[in-house]
Amino acid sequence: MSGIYIHIPFCKQACHYCDFHFSTSIKKKDEMVLALSKEIIMRKNEFENDVVETIYFGGGTPSVLTNEEISFLISEVYKNYKVSENPEITLEANPDDLSSERIFELSKSQINRLSIGIQSFYEEDLKMMNRAHNSAEAKKCLEEATKYFDNISLDLIYGIPGLTDEMWKRNIETALSFGIPHISSYALTVEPKTALRKLIDTGKIAEPQDEVASNHFMILVDTLQKNGFIHYELSNFGKENYFSRNNSAYWLGKKYIGIGPSAHSYDGEKRGWNIANNSLYLKSIQENVLPIETEILSKSDRYNEYIMTGLRTIWGVSLERIEKEFGLEYLNYLKKQSQKFLNDDLLSIENNILKPTAKGKFLTDGIASDLFYLNLE
């Protein structure tokens, strides 16, 4: 099983917290669509023996593309790769791009999953984050989307300064009222060089507090589990049969090709990333050169990645797999490093699988970094 990720590097406006690669000018959109289709063709030999199970349009804001442009890129994948009979084809979209007509048209296309960037149902949060939609648009869009799509995911952000526990509960309840089967939720993080960092540094917005985010996370986990969601990855919750197949493939270490500026690829042995510059990406593709840098992953890199992704998911870290793939030296190291977390009830071992406990979940990334193997080779 493998996947294709297509990065659409355009947005109407820049959200204050975002540090992804995109441009707010869509002057080169036509050129970009042609370059993406060309990269799809140029890289087909990487998947000669693989079946594509997922196609994912991420960004940026992929919904700035027309339905025709999206269908054209999907058809290029079908022409050049073996695609499974029932692939998951996801489009990330913002509420302001999803009019009733647009949703209806998309429902007739090959897109069978929508991932909608709601972030919050509160006007003040949306303004603070500089989102392009308002609360009414968010609700209207979900109302319409659920008429035509049953596989929908929405994003919510917690830990926002000024967002009380009560308000956060109402955000979750509003999301649940639409019968959505998948929710992705992230703490508001302040990345360097973002507008949010500047607003905090100049005292216009308060710094997000870890304690508030931790509380919100506990409320989220508790509420969604009571409503029949499975917490299958640190930031992702799905009803039975509605886990994101695209994202699950990343966490389970499957192969994927990333198409477009700044997109990442992985084939089990090496990782690659395209240049994060639209003009240089276009120039390179026009000259028939893939604008990609790659690194071969060392044994320690692969071990560290497995620890990081394994601990974030319900599948955990298999001690048997550690021994088989990496050897006794790594297994003994992992056992030694994880002992203090086992003693503090932050990790547990069941059926030879190492996992965070309910208490350890919010601290997963920090715990994982303590289990990393450094300078082994």
Side-chain angles (χ1 to χ4, degrees), residues 47-78:
F47 268 10
E48 263 175 331
N49 308 310
D50 296 273
V51 176
V52 173
E53 293 264 356
T54 63
I55 302 169
Y56 191 99
F57 288 87
T61 311
S63 49
V64 302
L65 294 191
T66 64
N67 291 359
E68 291 70 29
E69 288 165 335
I70 292 164
S71 294
F72 167 63
L73 291 172
I74 294 171
S75 73
E76 290 301 293
V77 173
Y78 269 85

PDB file of all heavy atoms in Angstrom, residues 47-78:
ATOM      1  N   PHE A  47       7.094   4.010  -8.264  1.00  0.00           N
ATOM      2  CA  PHE A  47       5.997   3.165  -7.763  1.00  0.00           C
ATOM      3  C   PHE A  47       5.663   2.036  -8.728  1.00  0.00           C
ATOM      4  O   PHE A  47       4.530   1.610  -8.819  1.00  0.00           O
ATOM      5  CB  PHE A  47       4.740   4.035  -7.556  1.00  0.00           C
ATOM      6  CG  PHE A  47       4.612   4.592  -6.157  1.00  0.00           C
ATOM      7  CD1 PHE A  47       5.640   4.496  -5.242  1.00  0.00           C
ATOM      8  CD2 PHE A  47       3.442   5.212  -5.749  1.00  0.00           C
ATOM      9  CE1 PHE A  47       5.527   5.012  -3.957  1.00  0.00           C
ATOM     10  CE2 PHE A  47       3.306   5.737  -4.465  1.00  0.00           C
ATOM     11  CZ  PHE A  47       4.353   5.642  -3.572  1.00  0.00           C
ATOM     12  N   GLU A  48       6.680   1.547  -9.450  1.00  0.00           N
ATOM     13  CA  GLU A  48       6.424   0.513 -10.459  1.00  0.00           C
ATOM     14  C   GLU A  48       5.660  -0.682  -9.911  1.00  0.00           C
ATOM     15  O   GLU A  48       4.758  -1.200 -10.550  1.00  0.00           O
ATOM     16  CB  GLU A  48       7.762   0.041 -11.041  1.00  0.00           C
ATOM     17  CG  GLU A  48       8.081   0.743 -12.327  1.00  0.00           C
ATOM     18  CD  GLU A  48       9.461   0.376 -12.844  1.00  0.00           C
ATOM     19  OE1 GLU A  48      10.354   0.048 -12.039  1.00  0.00           O
ATOM     20  OE2 GLU A  48       9.630   0.424 -14.064  1.00  0.00           O
ATOM     21  N   ASN A  49       6.062  -1.129  -8.691  1.00  0.00           N
ATOM     22  CA  ASN A  49       5.441  -2.339  -8.146  1.00  0.00           C
ATOM     23  C   ASN A  49       4.450  -2.040  -7.030  1.00  0.00           C
ATOM     24  O   ASN A  49       4.062  -2.928  -6.283  1.00  0.00           O
ATOM     25  CB  ASN A  49       6.531  -3.297  -7.613  1.00  0.00           C
ATOM     26  CG  ASN A  49       7.585  -3.538  -8.676  1.00  0.00           C
ATOM     27  OD1 ASN A  49       7.241  -3.852  -9.806  1.00  0.00           O
ATOM     28  ND2 ASN A  49       8.851  -3.354  -8.328  1.00  0.00           N
ATOM     29  N   ASP A  50       4.063  -0.780  -6.908  1.00  0.00           N
ATOM     30  CA  ASP A  50       3.192  -0.408  -5.792  1.00  0.00           C
ATOM     31  C   ASP A  50       1.800  -0.035  -6.277  1.00  0.00           C
ATOM     32  O   ASP A  50       1.629   0.485  -7.376  1.00  0.00           O
ATOM     33  CB  ASP A  50       3.773   0.796  -5.050  1.00  0.00           C
ATOM     34  CG  ASP A  50       5.103   0.465  -4.409  1.00  0.00           C
ATOM     35  OD1 ASP A  50       5.091  -0.020  -3.282  1.00  0.00           O
ATOM     36  OD2 ASP A  50       6.148   0.681  -5.059  1.00  0.00           O
ATOM     37  N   VAL A  51       0.836  -0.299  -5.402  1.00  0.00           N
ATOM     38  CA  VAL A  51      -0.540   0.093  -5.695  1.00  0.00           C
ATOM     39  C   VAL A  51      -0.860   1.328  -4.852  1.00  0.00           C
ATOM     40  O   VAL A  51      -0.634   1.348  -3.645  1.00  0.00           O
ATOM     41  CB  VAL A  51      -1.522  -1.059  -5.353  1.00  0.00           C
ATOM     42  CG1 VAL A  51      -2.963  -0.616  -5.558  1.00  0.00           C
ATOM     43  CG2 VAL A  51      -1.215  -2.275  -6.230  1.00  0.00           C
ATOM     44  N   VAL A  52      -1.359   2.361  -5.511  1.00  0.00           N
ATOM     45  CA  VAL A  52      -1.711   3.595  -4.813  1.00  0.00           C
ATOM     46  C   VAL A  52      -3.078   3.418  -4.148  1.00  0.00           C
ATOM     47  O   VAL A  52      -4.069   3.140  -4.814  1.00  0.00           O
ATOM     48  CB  VAL A  52      -1.741   4.794  -5.796  1.00  0.00           C
ATOM     49  CG1 VAL A  52      -2.272   6.053  -5.112  1.00  0.00           C
ATOM     50  CG2 VAL A  52      -0.348   5.041  -6.371  1.00  0.00           C
ATOM     51  N   GLU A  53      -3.080   3.568  -2.822  1.00  0.00           N
ATOM     52  CA  GLU A  53      -4.317   3.387  -2.045  1.00  0.00           C
ATOM     53  C   GLU A  53      -4.943   4.719  -1.653  1.00  0.00           C
ATOM     54  O   GLU A  53      -6.120   4.791  -1.345  1.00  0.00           O
ATOM     55  CB  GLU A  53      -3.993   2.636  -0.735  1.00  0.00           C
ATOM     56  CG  GLU A  53      -3.558   1.214  -0.928  1.00  0.00           C
ATOM     57  CD  GLU A  53      -4.713   0.251  -0.770  1.00  0.00           C
ATOM     58  OE1 GLU A  53      -5.820   0.714  -0.440  1.00  0.00           O
ATOM     59  OE2 GLU A  53      -4.500  -0.943  -0.988  1.00  0.00           O
ATOM     60  N   THR A  54      -4.094   5.764  -1.602  1.00  0.00           N
ATOM     61  CA  THR A  54      -4.601   7.068  -1.162  1.00  0.00           C
ATOM     62  C   THR A  54      -4.016   8.184  -2.026  1.00  0.00           C
ATOM     63  O   THR A  54      -2.844   8.137  -2.400  1.00  0.00           O
ATOM     64  CB  THR A  54      -4.238   7.363   0.313  1.00  0.00           C
ATOM     65  OG1 THR A  54      -2.827   7.432   0.449  1.00  0.00           O
ATOM     66  CG2 THR A  54      -4.771   6.306   1.263  1.00  0.00           C
ATOM     67  N   ILE A  55      -4.862   9.160  -2.340  1.00  0.00           N
ATOM     68  CA  ILE A  55      -4.410  10.394  -2.998  1.00  0.00           C
ATOM     69  C   ILE A  55      -4.888  11.523  -2.099  1.00  0.00           C
ATOM     70  O   ILE A  55      -6.068  11.565  -1.726  1.00  0.00           O
ATOM     71  CB  ILE A  55      -5.005  10.539  -4.422  1.00  0.00           C
ATOM     72  CG1 ILE A  55      -4.635   9.326  -5.294  1.00  0.00           C
ATOM     73  CG2 ILE A  55      -4.531  11.835  -5.075  1.00  0.00           C
ATOM     74  CD1 ILE A  55      -5.386   9.253  -6.623  1.00  0.00           C
ATOM     75  N   TYR A  56      -3.976  12.401  -1.726  1.00  0.00           N
ATOM     76  CA  TYR A  56      -4.319  13.432  -0.739  1.00  0.00           C
ATOM     77  C   TYR A  56      -3.898  14.806  -1.247  1.00  0.00           C
ATOM     78  O   TYR A  56      -2.735  15.032  -1.543  1.00  0.00           O
ATOM     79  CB  TYR A  56      -3.608  13.124   0.583  1.00  0.00           C
ATOM     80  CG  TYR A  56      -4.078  13.960   1.758  1.00  0.00           C
ATOM     81  CD1 TYR A  56      -4.994  13.444   2.676  1.00  0.00           C
ATOM     82  CD2 TYR A  56      -3.602  15.256   1.952  1.00  0.00           C
ATOM     83  CE1 TYR A  56      -5.432  14.205   3.755  1.00  0.00           C
ATOM     84  CE2 TYR A  56      -4.041  16.022   3.024  1.00  0.00           C
ATOM     85  CZ  TYR A  56      -4.954  15.489   3.924  1.00  0.00           C
ATOM     86  OH  TYR A  56      -5.386  16.244   4.999  1.00  0.00           O
ATOM     87  N   PHE A  57      -4.868  15.708  -1.374  1.00  0.00           N
ATOM     88  CA  PHE A  57      -4.574  17.093  -1.755  1.00  0.00           C
ATOM     89  C   PHE A  57      -4.442  17.926  -0.493  1.00  0.00           C
ATOM     90  O   PHE A  57      -5.431  18.169   0.206  1.00  0.00           O
ATOM     91  CB  PHE A  57      -5.709  17.662  -2.623  1.00  0.00           C
ATOM     92  CG  PHE A  57      -5.760  17.083  -4.012  1.00  0.00           C
ATOM     93  CD1 PHE A  57      -6.454  15.917  -4.274  1.00  0.00           C
ATOM     94  CD2 PHE A  57      -5.092  17.709  -5.064  1.00  0.00           C
ATOM     95  CE1 PHE A  57      -6.506  15.371  -5.556  1.00  0.00           C
ATOM     96  CE2 PHE A  57      -5.126  17.176  -6.349  1.00  0.00           C
ATOM     97  CZ  PHE A  57      -5.831  16.010  -6.594  1.00  0.00           C
ATOM     98  N   GLY A  58      -3.186  18.343  -0.188  1.00  0.00           N
ATOM     99  CA  GLY A  58      -2.940  19.146   1.005  1.00  0.00           C
ATOM    100  C   GLY A  58      -2.355  20.494   0.617  1.00  0.00           C
ATOM    101  O   GLY A  58      -2.162  20.786  -0.567  1.00  0.00           O
ATOM    102  N   GLY A  59      -2.031  21.315   1.623  1.00  0.00           N
ATOM    103  CA  GLY A  59      -1.515  22.628   1.248  1.00  0.00           C
ATOM    104  C   GLY A  59      -1.007  23.428   2.422  1.00  0.00           C
ATOM    105  O   GLY A  59      -0.700  22.865   3.455  1.00  0.00           O
ATOM    106  N   GLY A  60      -0.993  24.731   2.215  1.00  0.00           N
ATOM    107  CA  GLY A  60      -1.820  25.530   1.361  1.00  0.00           C
ATOM    108  C   GLY A  60      -3.315  25.242   1.521  1.00  0.00           C
ATOM    109  O   GLY A  60      -3.778  24.645   2.453  1.00  0.00           O
ATOM    110  N   THR A  61      -4.032  25.683   0.503  1.00  0.00           N
ATOM    111  CA  THR A  61      -5.479  25.444   0.466  1.00  0.00           C
ATOM    112  C   THR A  61      -5.841  24.844  -0.882  1.00  0.00           C
ATOM    113  O   THR A  61      -6.045  25.570  -1.858  1.00  0.00           O
ATOM    114  CB  THR A  61      -6.244  26.774   0.669  1.00  0.00           C
ATOM    115  OG1 THR A  61      -5.703  27.447   1.806  1.00  0.00           O
ATOM    116  CG2 THR A  61      -7.715  26.523   0.894  1.00  0.00           C
ATOM    117  N   PRO A  62      -5.905  23.509  -0.969  1.00  0.00           N
ATOM    118  CA  PRO A  62      -6.199  22.860  -2.251  1.00  0.00           C
ATOM    119  C   PRO A  62      -7.543  23.287  -2.854  1.00  0.00           C
ATOM    120  O   PRO A  62      -7.717  23.237  -4.068  1.00  0.00           O
ATOM    121  CB  PRO A  62      -6.226  21.373  -1.901  1.00  0.00           C
ATOM    122  CG  PRO A  62      -5.425  21.273  -0.666  1.00  0.00           C
ATOM    123  CD  PRO A  62      -5.628  22.540   0.088  1.00  0.00           C
ATOM    124  N   SER A  63      -8.473  23.744  -2.001  1.00  0.00           N
ATOM    125  CA  SER A  63      -9.793  24.117  -2.542  1.00  0.00           C
ATOM    126  C   SER A  63      -9.735  25.407  -3.357  1.00  0.00           C
ATOM    127  O   SER A  63     -10.744  25.825  -3.919  1.00  0.00           O
ATOM    128  CB  SER A  63     -10.837  24.204  -1.430  1.00  0.00           C
ATOM    129  OG  SER A  63     -10.380  24.981  -0.336  1.00  0.00           O
ATOM    130  N   VAL A  64      -8.543  26.064  -3.464  1.00  0.00           N
ATOM    131  CA  VAL A  64      -8.437  27.207  -4.399  1.00  0.00           C
ATOM    132  C   VAL A  64      -8.371  26.702  -5.851  1.00  0.00           C
ATOM    133  O   VAL A  64      -8.574  27.467  -6.784  1.00  0.00           O
ATOM    134  CB  VAL A  64      -7.233  28.157  -4.124  1.00  0.00           C
ATOM    135  CG1 VAL A  64      -7.280  28.722  -2.725  1.00  0.00           C
ATOM    136  CG2 VAL A  64      -5.898  27.480  -4.400  1.00  0.00           C
ATOM    137  N   LEU A  65      -8.090  25.412  -6.038  1.00  0.00           N
ATOM    138  CA  LEU A  65      -8.129  24.845  -7.395  1.00  0.00           C
ATOM    139  C   LEU A  65      -9.578  24.666  -7.815  1.00  0.00           C
ATOM    140  O   LEU A  65     -10.458  24.425  -6.986  1.00  0.00           O
ATOM    141  CB  LEU A  65      -7.446  23.463  -7.431  1.00  0.00           C
ATOM    142  CG  LEU A  65      -5.952  23.354  -7.168  1.00  0.00           C
ATOM    143  CD1 LEU A  65      -5.474  21.948  -7.521  1.00  0.00           C
ATOM    144  CD2 LEU A  65      -5.143  24.373  -7.946  1.00  0.00           C
ATOM    145  N   THR A  66      -9.827  24.722  -9.122  1.00  0.00           N
ATOM    146  CA  THR A  66     -11.177  24.433  -9.618  1.00  0.00           C
ATOM    147  C   THR A  66     -11.380  22.912  -9.598  1.00  0.00           C
ATOM    148  O   THR A  66     -10.401  22.143  -9.554  1.00  0.00           O
ATOM    149  CB  THR A  66     -11.358  24.909 -11.070  1.00  0.00           C
ATOM    150  OG1 THR A  66     -10.455  24.142 -11.903  1.00  0.00           O
ATOM    151  CG2 THR A  66     -11.055  26.389 -11.220  1.00  0.00           C
ATOM    152  N   ASN A  67     -12.649  22.492  -9.682  1.00  0.00           N
ATOM    153  CA  ASN A  67     -12.929  21.049  -9.728  1.00  0.00           C
ATOM    154  C   ASN A  67     -12.273  20.408 -10.949  1.00  0.00           C
ATOM    155  O   ASN A  67     -11.813  19.262 -10.891  1.00  0.00           O
ATOM    156  CB  ASN A  67     -14.446  20.805  -9.760  1.00  0.00           C
ATOM    157  CG  ASN A  67     -15.091  21.172  -8.429  1.00  0.00           C
ATOM    158  OD1 ASN A  67     -14.399  21.580  -7.491  1.00  0.00           O
ATOM    159  ND2 ASN A  67     -16.392  21.035  -8.331  1.00  0.00           N
ATOM    160  N   GLU A  68     -12.207  21.164 -12.051  1.00  0.00           N
ATOM    161  CA  GLU A  68     -11.587  20.629 -13.281  1.00  0.00           C
ATOM    162  C   GLU A  68     -10.094  20.380 -13.048  1.00  0.00           C
ATOM    163  O   GLU A  68      -9.552  19.362 -13.475  1.00  0.00           O
ATOM    164  CB  GLU A  68     -11.753  21.617 -14.464  1.00  0.00           C
ATOM    165  CG  GLU A  68     -13.172  21.783 -14.978  1.00  0.00           C
ATOM    166  CD  GLU A  68     -14.097  22.517 -14.003  1.00  0.00           C
ATOM    167  OE1 GLU A  68     -13.603  23.373 -13.215  1.00  0.00           O
ATOM    168  OE2 GLU A  68     -15.301  22.231 -14.021  1.00  0.00           O
ATOM    169  N   GLU A  69      -9.428  21.321 -12.373  1.00  0.00           N
ATOM    170  CA  GLU A  69      -7.989  21.170 -12.110  1.00  0.00           C
ATOM    171  C   GLU A  69      -7.730  19.969 -11.197  1.00  0.00           C
ATOM    172  O   GLU A  69      -6.786  19.205 -11.403  1.00  0.00           O
ATOM    173  CB  GLU A  69      -7.432  22.462 -11.480  1.00  0.00           C
ATOM    174  CG  GLU A  69      -7.337  23.592 -12.479  1.00  0.00           C
ATOM    175  CD  GLU A  69      -7.138  24.969 -11.851  1.00  0.00           C
ATOM    176  OE1 GLU A  69      -7.514  25.193 -10.676  1.00  0.00           O
ATOM    177  OE2 GLU A  69      -6.611  25.849 -12.549  1.00  0.00           O
ATOM    178  N   ILE A  70      -8.592  19.799 -10.200  1.00  0.00           N
ATOM    179  CA  ILE A  70      -8.444  18.661  -9.282  1.00  0.00           C
ATOM    180  C   ILE A  70      -8.631  17.349 -10.045  1.00  0.00           C
ATOM    181  O   ILE A  70      -7.834  16.414  -9.927  1.00  0.00           O
ATOM    182  CB  ILE A  70      -9.460  18.779  -8.112  1.00  0.00           C
ATOM    183  CG1 ILE A  70      -9.074  19.972  -7.216  1.00  0.00           C
ATOM    184  CG2 ILE A  70      -9.523  17.488  -7.299  1.00  0.00           C
ATOM    185  CD1 ILE A  70     -10.184  20.430  -6.276  1.00  0.00           C
ATOM    186  N   SER A  71      -9.694  17.292 -10.884  1.00  0.00           N
ATOM    187  CA  SER A  71      -9.971  16.064 -11.653  1.00  0.00           C
ATOM    188  C   SER A  71      -8.837  15.755 -12.632  1.00  0.00           C
ATOM    189  O   SER A  71      -8.481  14.594 -12.836  1.00  0.00           O
ATOM    190  CB  SER A  71     -11.286  16.199 -12.420  1.00  0.00           C
ATOM    191  OG  SER A  71     -12.342  16.287 -11.500  1.00  0.00           O
ATOM    192  N   PHE A  72      -8.256  16.810 -13.208  1.00  0.00           N
ATOM    193  CA  PHE A  72      -7.136  16.629 -14.138  1.00  0.00           C
ATOM    194  C   PHE A  72      -5.958  15.965 -13.417  1.00  0.00           C
ATOM    195  O   PHE A  72      -5.362  15.006 -13.922  1.00  0.00           O
ATOM    196  CB  PHE A  72      -6.731  17.997 -14.711  1.00  0.00           C
ATOM    197  CG  PHE A  72      -5.404  17.994 -15.429  1.00  0.00           C
ATOM    198  CD1 PHE A  72      -5.198  17.239 -16.580  1.00  0.00           C
ATOM    199  CD2 PHE A  72      -4.336  18.755 -14.940  1.00  0.00           C
ATOM    200  CE1 PHE A  72      -3.970  17.253 -17.233  1.00  0.00           C
ATOM    201  CE2 PHE A  72      -3.103  18.768 -15.585  1.00  0.00           C
ATOM    202  CZ  PHE A  72      -2.917  18.009 -16.734  1.00  0.00           C
ATOM    203  N   LEU A  73      -5.624  16.436 -12.219  1.00  0.00           N
ATOM    204  CA  LEU A  73      -4.487  15.857 -11.485  1.00  0.00           C
ATOM    205  C   LEU A  73      -4.779  14.416 -11.064  1.00  0.00           C
ATOM    206  O   LEU A  73      -3.903  13.554 -11.123  1.00  0.00           O
ATOM    207  CB  LEU A  73      -4.144  16.732 -10.276  1.00  0.00           C
ATOM    208  CG  LEU A  73      -3.538  18.105 -10.624  1.00  0.00           C
ATOM    209  CD1 LEU A  73      -3.422  18.987  -9.381  1.00  0.00           C
ATOM    210  CD2 LEU A  73      -2.164  17.965 -11.289  1.00  0.00           C
ATOM    211  N   ILE A  74      -6.023  14.149 -10.669  1.00  0.00           N
ATOM    212  CA  ILE A  74      -6.388  12.764 -10.306  1.00  0.00           C
ATOM    213  C   ILE A  74      -6.247  11.855 -11.535  1.00  0.00           C
ATOM    214  O   ILE A  74      -5.702  10.744 -11.451  1.00  0.00           O
ATOM    215  CB  ILE A  74      -7.822  12.690  -9.727  1.00  0.00           C
ATOM    216  CG1 ILE A  74      -7.902  13.441  -8.390  1.00  0.00           C
ATOM    217  CG2 ILE A  74      -8.262  11.228  -9.537  1.00  0.00           C
ATOM    218  CD1 ILE A  74      -9.320  13.607  -7.830  1.00  0.00           C
ATOM    219  N   SER A  75      -6.702  12.347 -12.689  1.00  0.00           N
ATOM    220  CA  SER A  75      -6.622  11.513 -13.899  1.00  0.00           C
ATOM    221  C   SER A  75      -5.167  11.226 -14.282  1.00  0.00           C
ATOM    222  O   SER A  75      -4.848  10.144 -14.774  1.00  0.00           O
ATOM    223  CB  SER A  75      -7.384  12.148 -15.064  1.00  0.00           C
ATOM    224  OG  SER A  75      -6.663  13.270 -15.549  1.00  0.00           O
ATOM    225  N   GLU A  76      -4.262  12.183 -14.017  1.00  0.00           N
ATOM    226  CA  GLU A  76      -2.834  11.962 -14.292  1.00  0.00           C
ATOM    227  C   GLU A  76      -2.272  10.844 -13.408  1.00  0.00           C
ATOM    228  O   GLU A  76      -1.433  10.056 -13.847  1.00  0.00           O
ATOM    229  CB  GLU A  76      -2.023  13.249 -14.076  1.00  0.00           C
ATOM    230  CG  GLU A  76      -2.277  14.324 -15.117  1.00  0.00           C
ATOM    231  CD  GLU A  76      -1.969  13.853 -16.533  1.00  0.00           C
ATOM    232  OE1 GLU A  76      -0.796  13.602 -16.837  1.00  0.00           O
ATOM    233  OE2 GLU A  76      -2.912  13.718 -17.335  1.00  0.00           O
ATOM    234  N   VAL A  77      -2.755  10.786 -12.160  1.00  0.00           N
ATOM    235  CA  VAL A  77      -2.311   9.700 -11.273  1.00  0.00           C
ATOM    236  C   VAL A  77      -2.825   8.362 -11.829  1.00  0.00           C
ATOM    237  O   VAL A  77      -2.067   7.397 -11.952  1.00  0.00           O
ATOM    238  CB  VAL A  77      -2.824   9.918  -9.824  1.00  0.00           C
ATOM    239  CG1 VAL A  77      -2.509   8.695  -8.954  1.00  0.00           C
ATOM    240  CG2 VAL A  77      -2.193  11.171  -9.213  1.00  0.00           C
ATOM    241  N   TYR A  78      -4.099   8.325 -12.211  1.00  0.00           N
ATOM    242  CA  TYR A  78      -4.687   7.084 -12.748  1.00  0.00           C
ATOM    243  C   TYR A  78      -3.973   6.625 -14.024  1.00  0.00           C
ATOM    244  O   TYR A  78      -3.780   5.436 -14.231  1.00  0.00           O
ATOM    245  CB  TYR A  78      -6.178   7.279 -13.027  1.00  0.00           C
ATOM    246  CG  TYR A  78      -7.045   6.908 -11.845  1.00  0.00           C
ATOM    247  CD1 TYR A  78      -7.297   7.827 -10.829  1.00  0.00           C
ATOM    248  CD2 TYR A  78      -7.601   5.634 -11.732  1.00  0.00           C
ATOM    249  CE1 TYR A  78      -8.076   7.491  -9.742  1.00  0.00           C
ATOM    250  CE2 TYR A  78      -8.382   5.286 -10.642  1.00  0.00           C
ATOM    251  CZ  TYR A  78      -8.622   6.216  -9.650  1.00  0.00           C
ATOM    252  OH  TYR A  78      -9.393   5.858  -8.565  1.00  0.00           O
TER     253      TYR A  78
END
